[in-house]
Amino acid sequence: TTIIGPLRKALYAIKQPESLEPQDVQNLLASSKGTAMHEGMTKALNTYNSGYICEQRMEREVEGWKISGEFDILTPDKQIKDLKFVSNYNLKKLEEDKQKLTNEMTLEDMYIETPTYFKYQAQLSIYRYLLNDNSIKPYGSIIFSLNNGSDMGKYTIDSEVTFPLWPSELTEQFIADRINIIKQHLANDTMPFCSDEERDKRNGEWK
């Protein structure tokens, strides 16, 4: 997902590798719950010889760089599924984005105007591209599980949302464009600014 998000963040990750210093356990609670969900699902599917493929890492070379990713689930009929442990706010933004979608939108339009929908569709599309298998379904889904109890009347605890996936040619072009921008910044020793949308900037409002 690094190639999908803000390029400033991606460049920081390249220039400043992740610290290995011990972290406060409190800061790891959310990620540990997500890890437990992933491991539980993987063990359940593998135990019964279900035919599902779980947590497989893939890579392909684009513009001289190795791009890798790891999907959560590939069903026996070749549909990609990913597990997400999210907040109600995330589901709220996804629903709002789905209402804004139009057939005329370009990827750039979607990145700016429907960022939550875009990141999930992009992630699934990149997994399909990395699998490099024409038999993979042209749609994939995200299985969401809520990580807090607020607004339970609005959203079910577990839900699945299906996304149409990009053609492989479009996915490859998206990845290549992002890589070339990163390369240019590395060559010039510059950092791009995050857009208002990437910073989730919103106008103030009285409540």
Side-chain angles (χ1 to χ4, degrees):
T1 57
T2 303
I3 200 73
I4 300 169
L7 293 181
R8 188 179 183 88
K9 184 177 179 181
L11 279 159
Y12 270 129
I14 293 171
K15 293 185 174 185
Q16 300 289 335
E18 187 176 351
S19 173
L20 297 178
E21 293 182 3
Q23 299 186 49
D24 192 312
V25 172
Q26 183 177 348
N27 297 331
L28 300 174
L29 286 176
S31 63
S32 64
K33 291 176 182 177
T35 299
M37 178 179 71
H38 281 77
E39 291 185 352
M41 179 67 79
T42 298
K43 287 180 179 179
L45 292 174
N46 288 338
T47 297
Y48 297 102
N49 297 319
S50 59
Y52 287 76
I53 300 173
C54 301
E55 298 186 331
Q56 178 175 301
R57 180 157 290 278
M58 315 143 292
E59 67 177 36
R60 290 183 71 176
E61 186 171 304
V62 181
E63 295 293 316
W65 283 23
K66 285 185 178 179
I67 301 298
S68 67
E70 182 177 293
F71 63 79
D72 289 334
I73 298 170
L74 184 65
T75 65
D77 66 345
K78 299 295 186 73
Q79 182 186 351
I80 301 168
K81 294 178 182 282
D82 208 57
L83 306 176
K84 299 290 183 188
F85 197 56
V86 300
S87 66
N88 292 328
Y89 177 76
N90 202 283
L91 289 183
K92 176 176 178 288
K93 297 301 291 183
L94 178 59
E95 288 300 318
E96 290 175 353
D97 285 358
K98 287 168 68 176
Q99 297 300 317
K100 298 177 186 176
L101 288 172
T102 65
N103 293 331
E104 292 74 28
M105 278 186 169
T106 64
L107 294 190
E108 183 63 29
D109 293 334
M110 292 174 63
Y111 185 83
I112 295 172
E113 298 178 37
T114 58
T116 302
Y117 184 93
F118 175 88
K119 71 178 180 182
Y120 293 135
Q121 186 181 45
Q123 183 176 0
L124 292 170
S125 296
I126 290 174
Y127 288 158
R128 182 172 181 246
Y129 171 77
L130 292 176
L131 278 163
N132 197 23
D133 181 348
N134 291 331
S135 66
I136 302 296
K137 299 290 187 185
Y139 53 86
S141 62
I142 305 287
I143 301 171
F144 294 101
S145 184
L146 293 182
N147 63 16
N148 61 49
S150 61
D151 289 333
M152 279 302 185
K154 294 183 180 180
Y155 308 104
T156 57
I157 295 176
D158 298 305
S159 60
E160 184 170 357
V161 180
T162 300
F163 299 80
L165 305 185
W166 306 337
S168 291
E169 298 79 10
L170 184 61
T171 307
E172 184 173 53
Q173 187 60 56
F174 169 77
I175 296 171
D177 289 345
R178 303 286 280 181
I179 289 174
N180 285 325
I181 294 172
I182 292 173
K183 283 182 175 180
Q184 190 64 48
H185 281 291
L186 289 172
N188 296 333
D189 196 23
T190 54
M191 294 288 285
F193 289 105
C194 290
S195 65
D196 288 346
E197 291 77 20
E198 288 172 335
R199 294 187 293 118
D200 198 21
K201 181 182 179 182
R202 286 167 285 174
N203 295 326
E205 57 183 72
W206 294 97
K207 292 187 178 180

